[in-house]
Amino acid sequence: METGTVKAGPEPVWTGLPPGLLRMRRMLLLVWAGLGTLLAALLPGLLAGPVWALFALLPPAGLAWGWVLLGRNWRSWRYAERADDLLISRGVLWREETVVPYGRMQLVEVTSGPVERHFGLASVQLHTAAAATDARIPGLHPAEAERLRDRLTELGEARSAGL
C-alpha cells in the first residue's frame, strides 16, 4: 500500500444548460444590436453628415463578437448534484465553481421573468446563510427548475434536521 496517496471520489455528473437560454440571449443581442445600428446610422447621419453614419458599422461588429462570446459563456455553465452538495461551474476566462452544501441552503426559489417565460425558461436561485455563497442556475426548463427546487429543498431539510 502506498503512503501519501489520496483516493479521489467519483467524478460528478455534470448537466449543461438547455439551448433555449442561448437562443434567448442571442435574440436579445440581435434586438439591441439592431436598435444600436439604427441609432448609430440615423443620429450622426442626420446631425453631422453622411460620413458619420459609418458609426453604424460598430453595432454589427459588436453583434458578431457578442454572438461568439454568448456561445462560449453558455457552454461554460453546468451543474452537478452530488450526495452532500450541489456544484455550479461557470466562466470562460475566469472559471468559477461554487459548492453549495445541502444543509446550508435556506431558500430555493424558481423565478421566470417575462422574457424567460416567452422562451419557456426559468432560473433556480439558492440562498444560504452567507450571502456571498448564494448561487443561481439560469435558463432551465420550468419542469427541471421545479424538480431541482423540490429535490434541493428536500435534501436541505434532511441535512439541516440532522444538525
Side-chain angles (χ1 to χ4, degrees):
M1 182 172 176
E2 293 180 44
T3 59
T5 59
V6 177
K7 199 172 201 178
E11 267 302 302
V13 179
W14 292 101
T15 304
L17 299 181
L21 178 65
L22 181 60
R23 267 194 308 277
M24 178 189 79
R25 288 180 173 173
R26 283 182 169 168
M27 185 63 69
L28 290 172
L29 178 66
L30 282 171
V31 168
W32 286 110
L35 289 173
T37 301
L38 193 63
L39 286 174
L42 287 178
L43 290 179
L46 292 174
L47 300 175
V51 174
W52 289 96
L54 290 175
F55 276 110
L57 297 176
L58 293 176
L63 170 72
W65 182 59
W67 194 272
V68 172
L69 289 182
L70 284 174
R72 291 183 66 197
N73 179 270
W74 171 75
R75 282 188 298 278
S76 77
W77 275 87
R78 58 191 185 155
Y79 65 96
E81 300 172 60
R82 298 193 307 181
D84 296 319
D85 50 33
L86 177 73
L87 298 176
I88 302 171
S89 179
R90 64 194 167 281
V92 177
L93 293 177
W94 285 270
R95 299 285 306 156
E96 186 175 330
E97 192 166 289
T98 305
V99 179
V100 184
Y102 296 132
R104 300 287 183 183
M105 290 183 202
Q106 293 184 331
L107 176 66
V108 182
E109 290 180 302
V110 173
T111 60
S112 185
V115 176
E116 284 180 308
R117 279 194 308 274
H118 177 75
F119 284 90
L121 301 172
S123 297
V124 174
Q125 178 76 39
L126 308 163
H127 299 279
T128 62
T133 59
D134 287 358
R136 181 174 179 265
I137 304 173
L140 299 174
H141 294 292
E144 171 63 9
E146 290 173 13
R147 183 206 66 82
L148 191 59
R149 177 200 59 207
D150 294 344
R151 176 166 162 66
L152 295 176
T153 301
E154 179 183 310
L155 288 168
E157 288 172 355
R159 297 297 193 281
S160 66
L163 295 177

